[in-house]
């Protein structure tokens, strides 16, 4: 039920409606439980931004990085709903002026607003994510462009909110993590303006959506070899789950999905309209390959001495320490339509089909011809299988299970579209399957 124009809210008086279980006034201190000296902090999980393959191009620094671990804080800083005020606008500025008081303001009209005050929650830790570099943001995320170009600097065209979302983690086992749309700003407020989608819930409370929304997809079957993509949903400011709106910023919300929750699972995807994050649990990361395993696979692949079937030169995947620069002379290249791996050569061009179109000398199929790069972000892998498949057309290499999962996972793009993309660089996938099995030729001797 939309509250705009509801006479109940028009009174200049302030009325208090306490939420069930409320304990009264807001506690601003964070007593929490002190971590024991020298004790390893408890890890709730890790967030990995798709499209960076293990590190930002400019390097991971502080809160601006491609991957962030969320660990138990020395003192709890979570908050929970406490008191709801029905007030007139002249009182809004006074109610929001207390920087120590967390609150969410719902503007219903020029003369009516509802403010929900939040109180300290000693049972949860709160982590905030957004484009802002202000101190209250724990993970600074900027737009990722399709094709591997990442906009790491400030952008006036960014569609990621400065205070995009917040994650609350239980400080006690099983350390459940829940996601909510919107984060608190420097004044400890969340402000939903007159045009934002907002409504009263059946139990008389308020809820709403942010401008471009926070979308979440939980994989079916967990994030493992048997995973399948789930259904994209939208998360509200209060953590409720809704079907997607007609467009990203539409004022009409989707339908409430009562049998689903905002609890993050291993492999859950979080889309902030400009960047997509993957949530990995500690248990899930134990099943993922380690960097040592990825390096061992690279060395094993090179030890097999694959050769170019035409030039007969020995091929080798470069060390990840080199970074993704210009391909070296031993770099493997692949025809992404057929999967035949070669060394670099300049013949077979089909300029009438485009500058990257080449004809494979083995099977005569025409398509993109690109260098192969190993996927280096281990958290994106479903299993520690051998690097046998490459995404098309970017050429990032990973296991078959990993390649097939991401190739069938649609990622949000813009306000309406969904595209499968390479998780390592963000390039939109092409071709019938989005990936190809690599066909190497061994040494002739």
């Amino acid at each position: 039920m939309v509250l705009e124009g509801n006479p109940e809210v028009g009174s200049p008086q302030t009325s208090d409606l306490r939420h069930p279980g409320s304990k009264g006034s807001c506690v601003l201190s964070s007593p929490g439980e002190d971590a024991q000296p020298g004790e390893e902090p408890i890890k709730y999980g890790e967030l990995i931004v798709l499209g960076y393959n293990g590190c930002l191009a400019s390097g991971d620094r502080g809160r601006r990085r491609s991957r962030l671990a969320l660990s138990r804080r020395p003192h709890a800083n979570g908050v929970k709903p406490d008191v709801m005020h029905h007030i007139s606008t002249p009182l809004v500025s006074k109610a929001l002026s207390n920087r120590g008081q967390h609150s969410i303001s719902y503007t219903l009209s020029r003369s009516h607003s509802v403010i929900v005050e939040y109180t300290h929650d000693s049972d949860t830790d709160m982590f905030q994510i957004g484009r802002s570099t202000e101190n209250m943001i724990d993970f600074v995320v900027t737009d990722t462009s399709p094709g591997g170009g990442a906009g790491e600097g400030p952008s006036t065209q960014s569609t990621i909110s400065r205070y995009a979302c917040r994650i609350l983690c239980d400080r006690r086992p099983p350390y459940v993590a829940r996601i909510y749309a919107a984060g608190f700003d420097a004044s400890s407020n969340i402000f939903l303006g007159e045009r934002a989608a907002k409504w009263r819930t059946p139990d008389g409370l308020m809820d709403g959506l942010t401008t471009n929304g926070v979308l979440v997809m939980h994989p079916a079957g967990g994030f493992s070899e048997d995973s399948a993509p789930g259904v994209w949903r939208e998360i509200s400011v209060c953590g409720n789950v809704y079907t997607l709106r007609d467009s990203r910023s539409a004022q009409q919300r989707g339908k409430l999905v009562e049998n689903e929750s905002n609890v993050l699972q291993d492999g859950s995807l979080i889309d902030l309209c400009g960047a997509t994050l993957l949530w990995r649990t500690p248990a899930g990361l134990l099943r993922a390959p380690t960097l040592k395993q990825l390096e061992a696979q690279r060395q094993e692949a090179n030890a097999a001495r694959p050769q170019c079937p035409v030039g007969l030169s020995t091929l080798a995947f470069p060390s990840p320490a080199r970074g993704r620069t210009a391909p070296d002379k031993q770099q493997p290249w692949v025809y992404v339509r057929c999967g035949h791996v070669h060394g670099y050569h300049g013949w077979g061009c089909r300029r009438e089909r485009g500058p990257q179109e080449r004809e494979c000398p083995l099977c005569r199929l025409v398509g993109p011809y690109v260098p192969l790069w190993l996927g280096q972000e281990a958290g994106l892998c479903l299993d520690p299988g051998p690097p046998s498949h490459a995404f098309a057309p970017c050429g990032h290499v990973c296991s078959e299970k990993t390649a097939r999962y991401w190739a069938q996972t649609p990622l949000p793009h813009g306000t309406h579209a969904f595209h499968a993309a390479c998780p390592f660089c963000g390039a939109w996938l092409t071709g019938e399957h989005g990936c190809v099995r690599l066909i190497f030729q061994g040494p002739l001797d």
Side-chain angles (χ1 to χ4, degrees), residues 147-233:
E152 297 175 19
S155 171
T156 56
Q157 301 299 319
S158 177
T159 49
I160 300 175
S161 171
R162 289 180 300 160
Y163 318 104
C165 67
R166 62 198 191 277
I167 294 175
L168 266 68
C169 302
D170 290 346
R171 290 172 60 84
R172 296 179 177 83
Y175 307 114
V176 173
R178 297 176 176 84
I179 185 168
Y180 301 80
F184 294 98
D185 61 18
S187 299
S188 301
N189 299 314
I190 293 174
F191 183 80
L192 295 183
E194 196 171 344
R195 295 185 177 182
K198 67 188 82 68
W199 58 92
R200 177 186 283 179
T201 62
D203 52 5
L205 307 180
M206 293 295 299
D207 203 356
L209 304 173
T210 55
T211 301
N212 288 327
V214 174
L215 309 187
V216 171
M217 187 200 79
H218 305 303
F223 196 68
S224 64
E225 298 181 20
D226 300 321
S227 290
V231 180
W232 283 100
R233 304 297 194 193

Side-chain angles (χ1 to χ4, degrees), residues 347-394:
W347 62 78
C349 294
R350 291 293 180 266
R351 300 193 183 280
E352 70 276 7
R353 298 277 298 273
Q356 289 186 318
E357 298 291 302
R358 301 283 191 93
E359 181 182 271
C360 175
L362 297 184
C363 66
R364 310 303 294 271
L365 280 177
V366 176
Y369 177 61
V370 299
L372 291 174
W373 304 92
L374 290 172
Q376 292 298 319
E377 178 48 83
L380 300 176
C381 301
L382 276 76
D383 67 334
S388 60
H389 284 63
F391 290 107
C394 60

Side-chain angles (χ1 to χ4, degrees), residues 47-71:
L47 290 167
I48 304 170
V49 188
L50 303 190
Y52 293 99
N53 201 19
C55 185
L56 301 183
S58 60
D60 288 350
R61 299 184 182 89
R63 294 171 295 139
R64 192 191 297 269
R65 52 202 312 113
S66 67
R67 183 170 182 163
L68 181 74
L70 274 56
S71 300

